[in-house]
Amino acid sequence: MRLALDGVAKKVGAQTWLHDVSLALPGGVTVLLGATQAGKTSLMRIMAGLDAPTAGRVLVDGVDVTGTPVRKRNVAMVYQQFINYPAMTVAANIASPLRLRGAKDIDARVREIARRLHIETFLERHPAELSGGQQQRVALARALAKGAPLVLLDEPLANLDYKLREELREELGELFAAGQSTVVYATTEPAEALLLGGHTAVLGAGRLLQYGPTAEVFHAPDSLCVACAFSDPPMNLLAASASAQGVRLEDGAQLALPFAQGAAAATGLTVGLRASALRVHARPGDVRVHGVVELAEISGSDTFVHAATPWGRLVAQLTGVHGFALGAAITLHLDPAQAYVFGADGRLLCAPARRGGG
């Protein structure tokens, strides 16, 4: 399916929920990434036909379907709050869209989809007998069984615990890569967008901020707003001005960065540092900053160190599990080539060069 939005806007009373969104999905997976109330669910409901836009058109394979209700569209949708039929077994839940279509070999197809989602041992159980993660898998299986050309997933993993989210993220990426549907996946988490790949549309306050292949949007955000939305933990932001070497931070530190230093870019710059760009081990050519440890958090296999420095409060993401005493001295190291520079208007002026095509 080729889905396109042409100047879509949505107003509710005096409030504008979506501002003139134009978007053409190339097939495969598109992630809608943005904070709560960025407009993801509003946009997805218009794609599904659950809501009508105040202005603009929805096109499917070049045909205007703006006024076509959801019951007349072939769409599958999975919500944050998973919905299953409680009186039916897992097998009957998955089979329900197949029976509506009069499909053949229903039992075999149910077992194949259940196997792919690792719920084949639960087929004779009822949803209430399953864990939250297993129930969400049933809802996903039913959506996949429908075989719809458009599958919409509205933060489907948000209510699951950390371990289940990590497990399902990887499985969904594999399932979507093997499928034939156009998949739209809404999330607040940059890690999900990176894992699912495909294309990402970054939304903010009802506006489309940037759209493109996920890796390109992550590595070359058009603006400071996009960079902040696509960074977890939040990007470290430092006030700076242009200098002969590149940029000068407020404490006088210099970062040698190649960017066009026009008069308009001389002041009011912002340097952005992803947490993963900061290290505790020096490499040739590094710039270093001394600080004091304020907090050290271990999450999964990474350690997040919060430090007070002359550059401000910085967060470093270190691979592995490390121990840091609160109040201890710490020296963080940075390759200047890993820094972003944004102008006073928030537009990207300089981004790190990508290595090895990654």
Side-chain angles (χ1 to χ4, degrees), residues 145-164:
K146 187 173 183 180
L150 177 62
V151 179
L152 306 174
L153 299 105
D154 191 2
E155 298 190 53
L157 309 184
N159 289 336
L160 305 182
D161 63 40
Y162 174 82
K163 184 177 180 180
L164 283 172

Side-chain angles (χ1 to χ4, degrees), residues 15 25 55 117 195 213 239 241 252 298 335 358:
Q15 295 183 325
L25 307 189
L117 281 162
L195 186 60
S241 57
I298 297 173
D335 177 355

